[in-house]
């Protein structure tokens, strides 16, 4: 990979700033491996829970003109099996891995985090923002500053891995939430998780398309919301940000970096451009940098002119 794409994230060198985010292809070592081979600089697992979960009944994904709606229901093999997949991936690849975990309480997050201390992961991401399990577990934890703060504080006390907080866009007070995450000891922020949830209707059937009725909203329609929340987060804290939400092209990725992101997640984009999207966006970033006279992405990070 080209040196102009090299990025350092919390002391680890990455060949590209592009990241496979949680929930997309991260259920198995082969999914992680193909994303790494196709140009992702870092990969994230599906969120693992203490016990395996089968997830929601289908249909779990629906497309419309603005993006995609999904309600997977946190299907995953559970932390024990999940960490075996991470081990298998790391046997054949040097690409760093973020292990994502989902708990329903502080105690569950701490238990999961303890388990990841004996794993091949490089970073630990706390999924505080799944939009799809409100009926089982209530409002996403990241809507509450107190819950964000307490979970991060207690996980940080025991975690060997640097901790990334994955946050929801569904809040009016992102500055307070990210500041609470920083004060509690988070090492980085990842945002945005899917928006909503939302709903799509099948007119012929006269009912919601998704079996679960509601699902998290992703894709091009959420990009402006992602940019605004990344920008506000960057202004409020001094933590590195993994920015994501509707990135399909090199232009989108550069806008994320200009808003304040250090790394850029591409998830739903895979649905639009295939898994080659990582290599394509890497090439597009390089072309844009060269056209605009920058010798590396470090040069466009945190452009002061955007802060005025
Ligand atoms: C799940 C779906 C999402 O859109 C998301 O952001 C997180 C989790 C899920 O249902 O598994």
């Amino acid at each position: 990979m080209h040196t102009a794409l090299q990025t350092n994230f919390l002391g680890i060198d990455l060949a590209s700033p592009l990241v496979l985010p949680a929930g997309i292809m991260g259920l198995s070592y082969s999914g992680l491996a193909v994303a790494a081979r196709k140009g992702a600089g870092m990969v994230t697992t599906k969120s693992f829970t203490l016990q395996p979960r089968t997830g929601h009944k289908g249909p779990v994904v629906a497309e419309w003109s603005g993006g995609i709606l999904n309600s997977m229901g946190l299907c995953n093999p559970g932390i024990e099996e999940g960490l075996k997949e991470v081990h298998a991936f790391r046997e054949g690849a040097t690409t760093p891995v973020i292990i994502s975990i989902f708990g329903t309480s502080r105690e569950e997050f701490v238990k999961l985090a303890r388990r990841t201390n004996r794993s091949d992961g490089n970073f630990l991401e706390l999924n505080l923002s799944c939009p799809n399990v409100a009926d089982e577990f209530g409002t996403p934890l990241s809507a509450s500053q107190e819950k964000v703060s307490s979970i991060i504080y207690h996980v940080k006390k025991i975690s060997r891995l640097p901790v990334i907080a994955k946050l929801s866009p569904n809040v009016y007070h992102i500055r307070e939430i990210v500041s609470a995450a920083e004060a509690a000891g988070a090492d980085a922020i990842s945002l945005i998780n899917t928006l909503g949830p939302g709903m799509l209707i099948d007119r012929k059937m006269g009912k919601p398309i998704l079996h679960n009725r509601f699902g998290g909203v992703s894709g091009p329609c959420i990009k402006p919301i992602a940019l605004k929340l990344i920008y506000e987060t960057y202004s409020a804290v001094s933590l590195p940000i993994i920015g994501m939400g509707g990135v399909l092209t090199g232009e989108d990725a550069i806008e994320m970096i200009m808003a304040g992101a250090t790394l850029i997640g591409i998830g739903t984009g895979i649905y639009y451009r295939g898994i080659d999207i990582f290599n394509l966006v890497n090439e597009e970033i390089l072309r844009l940098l060269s056209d605009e006279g920058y010798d590396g992405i470090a040069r466009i990070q945190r452009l002061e002119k955007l802060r005025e």
Side-chain angles (χ1 to χ4, degrees):
M1 207 104 55
H2 201 290
T3 52
L5 290 172
Q6 284 173 358
T7 308
N8 188 279
F9 181 73
L10 295 171
I12 295 207
D13 287 323
L14 306 180
S16 157
L18 304 183
V19 178
L20 176 77
I24 324 271
M25 302 175 59
L27 272 175
S28 70
Y29 83 91
S30 53
L32 297 170
V34 69
R37 215 167 44 240
K38 293 287 188 171
M42 183 147 70
V43 292
T44 313
T45 67
K46 175 78 181 161
S47 297
F48 297 137
T49 48
L50 282 171
Q51 300 304 327
R53 285 177 57 90
T54 48
H56 293 147
K57 260 195 188 164
V60 290
V61 179
E63 185 191 3
W64 93 107
S65 56
I68 285 184
L69 204 62
N70 91 81
S71 182
M72 310 307 289
L74 287 170
C75 47
N76 80 97
I79 188 80
E80 287 306 324
E81 288 305 311
L83 294 183
K84 286 182 196 163
E85 296 294 324
V86 173
H87 180 71
F89 169 69
R90 290 286 288 177
E91 279 191 324
T94 53
T95 308
V97 184
I98 303 173
I99 296 173
S100 173
I101 56 173
F102 177 90
T104 59
S105 63
R106 184 180 91 196
E107 290 72 22
E108 277 191 25
F109 271 104
V110 169
K111 247 189 212 171
L112 286 158
R114 260 210 186 91
R115 182 62 191 84
T116 66
N117 282 341
R118 291 173 287 112
S119 77
D120 302 274
N122 301 82
F123 299 100
L124 176 63
E125 185 171 273
L126 310 180
N127 179 355
L128 301 166
S129 46
C130 175
N132 292 331
V133 284
D135 50 344
E136 283 176 81
F137 308 127
T139 313
L141 297 161
S142 75
S144 154
Q145 217 168 298
E146 290 71 32
K147 286 180 186 159
V148 165
S149 184
S150 153
I151 293 166
I152 293 172
Y153 177 78
H154 285 89
V155 166
K156 272 299 288 180
K157 277 212 292 203
I158 57 92
S159 181
R160 176 181 72 80
L161 303 178
V163 170
I164 305 165
K166 175 87 177 260
L167 301 178
S168 168
N170 298 356
V171 291
Y172 285 108
H173 55 312
I174 196 72
R175 286 166 180 275
E176 284 83 352
I177 298 205
V178 294
S179 300
E182 183 176 47
D187 297 282
I189 302 289
S190 169
L191 81 176
I192 58 176
N193 207 324
T194 50
L195 186 72
M199 184 170 84
L200 289 168
I201 298 277
D202 180 331
R203 272 197 313 281
K204 287 204 181 97
M205 304 291 283
K207 60 176 201 173
I209 296 178
L210 296 185
H211 187 272
N212 190 47
R213 295 179 298 158
F214 313 135
V217 180
S218 64
C221 67
I222 70 169
K223 188 181 85 168
I225 297 165
L227 286 171
K228 185 246 187 195
L229 292 171
I230 292 163
Y231 180 74
E232 287 197 321
T233 298
Y234 179 69
S235 315
V237 298
S238 54
L239 303 176
I241 300 166
I242 307 179
M244 68 197 79
V247 174
L248 300 187
T249 64
E251 279 92 343
D252 297 331
I254 284 186
E255 289 165 22
M256 293 267 156
I257 295 172
M258 287 180 164
T262 302
L263 305 181
I264 306 111
I266 299 182
T268 300
I270 298 170
Y271 185 90
Y272 289 86
R273 297 182 80 189
I275 191 63
D276 284 323
I277 191 168
F278 289 104
N279 277 329
L280 294 171
V281 172
N282 279 330
E283 284 163 19
E284 288 159 6
I285 293 174
L286 285 172
R287 206 171 319 123
L288 287 162
L289 289 177
S290 132
D291 288 353
E292 288 164 27
Y294 296 108
D295 58 8
I297 50 168
R299 296 269 171 217
I300 55 164
Q301 272 165 356
R302 305 172 179 203
L303 277 188
E304 288 311 313
K305 65 180 181 202
L306 258 185
R307 319 257 151 255
E308 286 158 12

